[in-house]
Amino acid sequence: MSSLTLFGPERRRIFAAYGLLTIEEISLLALPALIGVTIDRLLSGDQTGLLLLACGAGAILVSGALRRFFDTRVFSAAEQRLSQTVMSSADSPGVQVGRLRQVYEVVQTYERSVPEGFSAIIAGVGSLTISAWYDWRVGLAGLVVAATLVAMDRLYSGKVERLNAALNGRTERDFAVLSRGSPRGLHTHLTRRRKLQVARSDAEIAIYLMNWIVLLALIIATLALIAAPEAKPGAVFAQLSYILAFAESWNRWPALTERLSHASDVARRLKGNVQTDV
């Protein structure tokens, strides 16, 4: 994450916010197993599982609230610092306005999109590990699927990096195009931007579709493997929940790839304006 160098003064606090996120996600990861245990205990007349479930839900709520209180303050301070630096630079007003918008977008990436990416990684790796503990065949199938999806994401990231660079270049030319007062020039500028936006959206839709085709095959294969007559209902619920969590974690990955690509390009453009040393 080379664009994280923009947040040198805030880096420790950002990692602390991500640490709180990790605690929250581990608590969430334990929830399906707790529900499965609770179901099996309730079916056998034992209600102690309800206490475990309540404790797990409480940990999720507390850690989530603390993280949100903390990271809002950290990232709003970072945005203010970066914006002031950009606006005091020697660049043209048009470039300053474009980069001010880019500062907001890159801060939003690390406040919202990157935590979603961490959540996806923790959920994906944790779900796959627990699935393998329940049934090694499901774990092995998930590992093959993960390798396939990573390869597909690498192809997608190369394309989206080029599109984001072109879009950011367009953003920095907004003011210059408007100042010329040429309707034809404005139309050409906006048409090129629209085509780039459509191309980026089409690439994202394509990767989502390909991901879900692969993931649907994994879900069907998992059901075929775990739906045995002797299986306990709670265990079946937990296994299927973890595979669905694994699938959902990959559903968030293309958006993160796009946002990080955008943030990296913005960091490259801001490199001459912002002091990145801690």
Coordinates of all heavy atoms in Angstrom, one line a residue, residues 85-148:
T85 N -2.1 21.2 2.9 CA -0.8 21.1 2.2 C -1.0 21.2 0.7 O -0.2 22.0 0.0 CB -0.1 19.7 2.4 OG1 0.0 19.6 3.9 CG2 1.2 19.6 1.8
V86 N -2.0 20.6 0.1 CA -2.3 20.7 -1.3 C -2.7 22.1 -1.7 O -2.2 22.6 -2.7 CB -3.4 19.7 -1.7 CG1 -3.9 20.0 -3.1 CG2 -2.9 18.2 -1.6
M87 N -3.5 22.7 -0.9 CA -4.0 24.1 -1.3 C -2.9 25.1 -1.1 O -3.0 26.2 -1.7 CB -5.2 24.5 -0.4 CG -6.4 23.6 -0.7 SD -6.9 23.6 -2.4 CE -7.5 25.3 -2.6
S88 N -1.8 24.9 -0.4 CA -0.7 25.8 -0.3 C 0.4 25.5 -1.2 O 1.5 26.2 -1.2 CB -0.2 25.8 1.2 OG 0.4 24.5 1.5
S89 N 0.2 24.6 -2.1 CA 1.3 24.2 -3.1 C 1.3 25.2 -4.2 O 0.5 26.1 -4.4 CB 1.0 22.8 -3.7 OG -0.1 22.9 -4.5
A90 N 2.3 25.1 -5.1 CA 2.5 26.1 -6.2 C 1.9 25.6 -7.5 O 2.0 26.3 -8.5 CB 4.0 26.3 -6.4
D91 N 1.1 24.6 -7.4 CA 0.4 24.1 -8.6 C -0.7 25.1 -9.1 O -1.1 26.0 -8.3 CB -0.3 22.8 -8.4 CG 0.8 21.7 -8.2 OD1 1.7 21.6 -9.0 OD2 0.6 20.9 -7.2
S92 N -1.1 25.0 -10.3 CA -2.2 25.8 -10.8 C -3.5 25.6 -10.0 O -3.7 24.5 -9.4 CB -2.5 25.6 -12.3 OG -3.0 24.3 -12.4
P93 N -4.4 26.6 -9.9 CA -5.7 26.4 -9.2 C -6.5 25.2 -9.7 O -7.1 24.5 -8.8 CB -6.4 27.7 -9.5 CG -5.4 28.7 -9.8 CD -4.3 28.0 -10.5
G94 N -6.4 24.9 -11.0 CA -7.2 23.8 -11.5 C -6.6 22.5 -10.9 O -7.4 21.6 -10.5
V95 N -5.3 22.4 -10.9 CA -4.7 21.1 -10.4 C -5.0 21.0 -8.9 O -5.2 20.0 -8.3 CB -3.2 21.1 -10.6 CG1 -2.5 20.0 -9.9 CG2 -3.0 21.0 -12.1
Q96 N -4.9 22.2 -8.2 CA -5.2 22.2 -6.7 C -6.6 21.7 -6.4 O -6.8 20.9 -5.5 CB -5.0 23.6 -6.1 CG -3.5 24.0 -6.0 CD -3.4 25.4 -5.5 OE1 -4.4 26.2 -5.5 NE2 -2.3 25.8 -5.0
V97 N -7.6 22.2 -7.2 CA -9.0 21.8 -6.9 C -9.1 20.3 -7.2 O -9.8 19.6 -6.5 CB -9.9 22.6 -7.8 CG1 -11.3 22.0 -7.8 CG2 -9.9 24.1 -7.4
G98 N -8.5 19.8 -8.3 CA -8.6 18.4 -8.7 C -8.0 17.5 -7.6 O -8.5 16.5 -7.2
R99 N -6.8 18.0 -7.1 CA -6.1 17.2 -6.1 C -6.8 17.2 -4.7 O -6.7 16.3 -3.9 CB -4.7 17.6 -6.0 CG -3.9 17.2 -7.2 CD -2.4 17.4 -7.2 NE -1.8 16.9 -8.4 CZ -0.6 17.2 -8.7 NH1 0.2 17.9 -8.0 NH2 -0.1 16.7 -9.9
L100 N -7.5 18.4 -4.4 CA -8.3 18.5 -3.2 C -9.4 17.4 -3.2 O -9.6 16.7 -2.2 CB -8.9 19.8 -3.1 CG -9.5 20.2 -1.7 CD1 -8.5 20.2 -0.6 CD2 -10.2 21.6 -1.8
R101 N -10.0 17.2 -4.3 CA -11.0 16.1 -4.5 C -10.4 14.8 -4.3 O -10.9 13.9 -3.7 CB -11.7 16.2 -5.8 CG -12.8 15.2 -6.0 CD -13.3 15.2 -7.5 NE -13.6 16.5 -8.0 CZ -13.8 16.7 -9.3 NH1 -13.8 15.7 -10.2 NH2 -14.0 17.9 -9.7
Q102 N -9.2 14.6 -4.9 CA -8.5 13.3 -4.8 C -8.0 13.0 -3.3 O -8.0 11.9 -2.9 CB -7.2 13.3 -5.7 CG -7.6 13.4 -7.2 CD -6.4 13.6 -8.1 OE1 -5.3 13.9 -7.6 NE2 -6.6 13.5 -9.4
V103 N -7.7 14.1 -2.6 CA -7.3 13.9 -1.2 C -8.5 13.3 -0.4 O -8.4 12.3 0.4 CB -6.9 15.2 -0.5 CG1 -6.9 15.1 1.0 CG2 -5.5 15.6 -0.9
Y104 N -9.7 13.8 -0.6 CA -10.9 13.3 0.0 C -11.1 11.8 -0.4 O -11.4 11.0 0.5 CB -12.1 14.1 -0.4 CG -13.4 13.5 0.0 CD1 -13.9 13.6 1.3 CD2 -14.2 12.8 -0.9 CE1 -15.1 13.1 1.7 CE2 -15.4 12.2 -0.5 CZ -15.8 12.4 0.8 OH -17.0 11.8 1.1
E105 N -10.9 11.5 -1.6 CA -11.2 10.1 -2.1 C -10.2 9.2 -1.5 O -10.5 8.1 -1.1 CB -11.1 10.1 -3.6 CG -12.3 10.8 -4.3 CD -12.2 10.9 -5.8 OE1 -11.1 10.7 -6.3 OE2 -13.2 11.3 -6.4
V106 N -8.9 9.6 -1.4 CA -7.9 8.6 -0.9 C -8.1 8.5 0.6 O -7.8 7.3 1.2 CB -6.4 9.1 -1.2 CG1 -6.0 10.3 -0.3 CG2 -5.5 8.0 -1.1
V107 N -8.5 9.5 1.4 CA -8.8 9.3 2.8 C -9.9 8.4 3.0 O -9.9 7.5 3.9 CB -9.0 10.7 3.5 CG1 -9.5 10.5 4.9 CG2 -7.7 11.5 3.5
Q108 N -11.0 8.6 2.2 CA -12.1 7.7 2.2 C -11.7 6.2 2.0 O -12.3 5.3 2.6 CB -13.2 8.1 1.2 CG -13.9 9.4 1.6 CD -14.7 9.2 2.9 OE1 -15.6 8.4 3.0 NE2 -14.4 10.0 3.9
T109 N -10.8 6.0 1.1 CA -10.3 4.7 0.8 C -9.7 4.0 2.0 O -10.0 2.9 2.3 CB -9.2 4.7 -0.3 OG1 -9.8 5.2 -1.6 CG2 -8.6 3.3 -0.5
Y110 N -8.9 4.8 2.8 CA -8.2 4.2 3.9 C -9.1 4.1 5.2 O -8.9 3.3 6.1 CB -6.9 4.9 4.2 CG -5.8 4.3 3.3 CD1 -5.6 5.0 2.1 CD2 -5.1 3.2 3.6 CE1 -4.6 4.5 1.2 CE2 -4.2 2.7 2.8 CZ -3.9 3.3 1.6 OH -3.0 2.8 0.7
E111 N -10.2 5.0 5.2 CA -11.1 5.0 6.3 C -12.2 3.9 6.1 O -12.6 3.3 7.1 CB -11.8 6.3 6.5 CG -12.7 6.4 7.7 CD -13.3 7.8 7.9 OE1 -13.0 8.7 7.1 OE2 -14.1 7.9 8.8
R112 N -12.6 3.7 4.9 CA -13.7 2.8 4.6 C -13.4 1.5 3.8 O -13.6 0.4 4.2 CB -14.9 3.5 3.9 CG -15.3 4.7 4.7 CD -16.5 5.5 4.1 NE -16.9 6.7 4.8 CZ -17.6 6.7 5.9 NH1 -18.1 5.5 6.4 NH2 -17.9 7.8 6.5
S113 N -12.7 1.7 2.7 CA -12.4 0.6 1.8 C -11.4 -0.3 2.3 O -11.5 -1.6 2.2 CB -12.0 1.1 0.4 OG -13.0 1.9 -0.2
V114 N -10.3 0.2 2.8 CA -9.2 -0.7 3.4 C -9.7 -1.5 4.6 O -9.5 -2.7 4.6 CB -8.0 0.1 3.7 CG1 -7.0 -0.7 4.5 CG2 -7.3 0.7 2.5
P115 N -10.5 -0.9 5.5 CA -11.1 -1.8 6.6 C -11.9 -2.9 6.0 O -11.9 -4.0 6.5 CB -11.9 -0.8 7.4 CG -11.1 0.5 7.3 CD -10.7 0.5 5.8
E116 N -12.7 -2.6 5.0 CA -13.5 -3.6 4.3 C -12.6 -4.7 3.7 O -12.9 -5.9 3.8 CB -14.4 -3.0 3.2 CG -15.5 -2.2 3.7 CD -16.4 -1.6 2.6 OE1 -16.1 -2.0 1.5 OE2 -17.3 -0.8 2.9
G117 N -11.4 -4.3 3.2 CA -10.5 -5.3 2.7 C -9.9 -6.1 3.8 O -9.8 -7.3 3.6
F118 N -9.5 -5.5 4.9 CA -9.0 -6.3 6.1 C -10.1 -7.3 6.5 O -9.8 -8.4 6.8 CB -8.7 -5.4 7.2 CG -7.3 -4.8 7.1 CD1 -7.0 -3.5 7.4 CD2 -6.2 -5.6 6.8 CE1 -5.7 -3.0 7.3 CE2 -4.9 -5.1 6.7 CZ -4.7 -3.8 6.9
S119 N -11.3 -6.8 6.6 CA -12.5 -7.7 7.0 C -12.6 -8.9 6.0 O -12.8 -10.0 6.5 CB -13.8 -6.9 7.0 OG -13.7 -5.8 7.9
A120 N -12.4 -8.6 4.7 CA -12.5 -9.6 3.7 C -11.4 -10.6 3.9 O -11.6 -11.9 3.8 CB -12.5 -9.0 2.3
I121 N -10.2 -10.2 4.2 CA -9.0 -11.1 4.3 C -9.2 -11.9 5.6 O -9.1 -13.2 5.5 CB -7.7 -10.3 4.4 CG1 -7.4 -9.6 3.1 CG2 -6.6 -11.2 4.9 CD1 -6.3 -8.6 3.1
I122 N -9.6 -11.3 6.7 CA -9.8 -12.1 7.9 C -10.9 -13.1 7.8 O -10.8 -14.2 8.2 CB -10.1 -11.1 9.1 CG1 -8.8 -10.3 9.4 CG2 -10.4 -11.9 10.4 CD1 -9.1 -9.1 10.4
A123 N -12.0 -12.6 7.2 CA -13.2 -13.5 7.0 C -12.8 -14.6 6.0 O -13.2 -15.8 6.3 CB -14.4 -12.7 6.5
G124 N -12.1 -14.3 5.0 CA -11.8 -15.3 4.0 C -10.8 -16.4 4.5 O -11.1 -17.6 4.4
V125 N -9.7 -15.9 5.1 CA -8.7 -16.9 5.6 C -9.3 -17.6 6.8 O -9.1 -18.9 6.9 CB -7.4 -16.1 6.0 CG1 -6.5 -17.1 6.7 CG2 -6.8 -15.5 4.8
G126 N -10.0 -16.9 7.7 CA -10.5 -17.6 8.9 C -11.6 -18.6 8.5 O -11.6 -19.7 9.0
S127 N -12.5 -18.2 7.6 CA -13.6 -19.1 7.2 C -13.0 -20.4 6.5 O -13.5 -21.5 6.7 CB -14.5 -18.4 6.2 OG -15.1 -17.3 6.9
L128 N -12.0 -20.2 5.7 CA -11.4 -21.3 5.0 C -10.7 -22.2 6.0 O -10.8 -23.5 5.9 CB -10.4 -20.8 3.9 CG -9.8 -21.8 3.0 CD1 -10.9 -22.5 2.2 CD2 -8.8 -21.2 2.0
T129 N -10.0 -21.7 7.0 CA -9.3 -22.5 8.0 C -10.3 -23.3 8.8 O -10.1 -24.5 9.0 CB -8.5 -21.6 8.9 OG1 -7.5 -20.9 8.1 CG2 -7.8 -22.4 9.9
I130 N -11.4 -22.7 9.2 CA -12.4 -23.4 10.0 C -13.1 -24.4 9.2 O -13.5 -25.5 9.7 CB -13.4 -22.4 10.7 CG1 -12.6 -21.5 11.6 CG2 -14.5 -23.1 11.4 CD1 -13.4 -20.3 12.2
S131 N -13.4 -24.1 7.9 CA -14.0 -25.1 7.0 C -13.2 -26.3 6.9 O -13.7 -27.4 6.9 CB -14.3 -24.4 5.6 OG -15.2 -23.4 5.7
A132 N -11.8 -26.1 6.7 CA -10.9 -27.2 6.6 C -10.9 -28.1 7.9 O -10.8 -29.3 7.9 CB -9.5 -26.7 6.3
W133 N -11.1 -27.4 9.1 CA -11.1 -28.1 10.4 C -12.4 -29.0 10.4 O -12.3 -30.1 10.9 CB -11.1 -27.1 11.5 CG -11.2 -27.7 12.9 CD1 -10.2 -28.4 13.5 CD2 -12.4 -27.8 13.7 NE1 -10.7 -28.8 14.7 CE2 -12.0 -28.5 14.9 CE3 -13.7 -27.4 13.6 CZ2 -12.9 -28.8 15.9 CZ3 -14.6 -27.6 14.6 CH2 -14.2 -28.3 15.8
Y134 N -13.5 -28.5 9.9 CA -14.7 -29.3 9.9 C -14.6 -30.5 8.8 O -15.0 -31.6 9.1 CB -15.9 -28.4 9.4 CG -16.6 -27.7 10.6 CD1 -16.5 -26.3 10.7 CD2 -17.3 -28.3 11.5 CE1 -17.1 -25.6 11.7 CE2 -18.0 -27.7 12.6 CZ -17.8 -26.3 12.6 OH -18.4 -25.6 13.7
D135 N -14.1 -30.1 7.6 CA -14.0 -31.2 6.6 C -12.8 -30.7 5.7 O -12.9 -29.7 5.0 CB -15.3 -31.2 5.8 CG -15.3 -32.4 4.8 OD1 -14.3 -32.7 4.2 OD2 -16.4 -33.0 4.7
W136 N -11.7 -31.5 5.7 CA -10.6 -31.2 4.9 C -10.9 -31.1 3.4 O -10.2 -30.3 2.7 CB -9.4 -32.2 5.1 CG -9.7 -33.6 4.6 CD1 -10.3 -34.6 5.2 CD2 -9.4 -34.0 3.2 NE1 -10.4 -35.7 4.3 CE2 -9.8 -35.4 3.1 CE3 -8.8 -33.4 2.1 CZ2 -9.7 -36.1 2.0 CZ3 -8.6 -34.2 1.0 CH2 -9.1 -35.5 0.9
R137 N -11.9 -31.8 2.9 CA -12.2 -31.7 1.5 C -12.7 -30.4 1.1 O -12.4 -29.8 0.0 CB -13.2 -32.8 1.1 CG -12.7 -34.3 1.4 CD -13.8 -35.3 1.2 NE -14.9 -35.0 2.2 CZ -16.0 -35.6 2.2 NH1 -16.3 -36.6 1.3 NH2 -16.9 -35.3 3.1
V138 N -13.6 -29.8 2.0 CA -14.1 -28.5 1.7 C -13.0 -27.4 1.8 O -12.9 -26.5 1.0 CB -15.2 -28.1 2.8 CG1 -15.7 -26.7 2.6 CG2 -16.4 -29.1 2.6
G139 N -12.1 -27.6 2.7 CA -10.9 -26.7 2.8 C -10.1 -26.7 1.6 O -9.6 -25.7 1.1
L140 N -9.8 -27.9 1.1 CA -9.0 -28.0 -0.1 C -9.6 -27.4 -1.3 O -9.0 -26.7 -2.1 CB -8.7 -29.5 -0.4 CG -7.8 -29.8 -1.6 CD1 -6.4 -29.2 -1.4 CD2 -7.7 -31.3 -1.8
A141 N -11.0 -27.6 -1.5 CA -11.7 -27.0 -2.6 C -11.6 -25.5 -2.5 O -11.5 -24.8 -3.5 CB -13.1 -27.5 -2.6
G142 N -11.8 -25.0 -1.2 CA -11.7 -23.6 -1.0 C -10.4 -23.0 -1.4 O -10.3 -21.9 -1.9
L143 N -9.3 -23.7 -1.0 CA -8.0 -23.3 -1.3 C -7.7 -23.2 -2.9 O -7.1 -22.2 -3.3 CB -6.9 -24.2 -0.7 CG -5.5 -23.8 -0.7 CD1 -5.3 -22.5 0.1 CD2 -4.6 -24.9 -0.1
V144 N -8.2 -24.1 -3.6 CA -8.1 -24.1 -5.1 C -8.9 -22.9 -5.6 O -8.4 -22.2 -6.5 CB -8.6 -25.4 -5.7 CG1 -8.7 -25.3 -7.2 CG2 -7.7 -26.6 -5.3
V145 N -10.1 -22.7 -5.1 CA -10.9 -21.6 -5.5 C -10.2 -20.2 -5.2 O -10.1 -19.3 -6.0 CB -12.3 -21.6 -4.9 CG1 -13.0 -20.3 -5.0 CG2 -13.1 -22.7 -5.5
A146 N -9.6 -20.1 -4.0 CA -8.9 -18.9 -3.6 C -7.7 -18.6 -4.6 O -7.5 -17.4 -5.0 CB -8.4 -19.0 -2.2
A147 N -7.0 -19.6 -5.0 CA -5.8 -19.4 -5.9 C -6.3 -18.9 -7.2 O -5.7 -18.1 -7.9 CB -5.0 -20.7 -6.0
T148 N -7.5 -19.5 -7.7 CA -8.0 -19.1 -9.0 C -8.5 -17.7 -8.9 O -8.2 -16.9 -9.9 CB -9.2 -20.0 -9.3 OG1 -8.8 -21.4 -9.3 CG2 -9.8 -19.6 -10.6

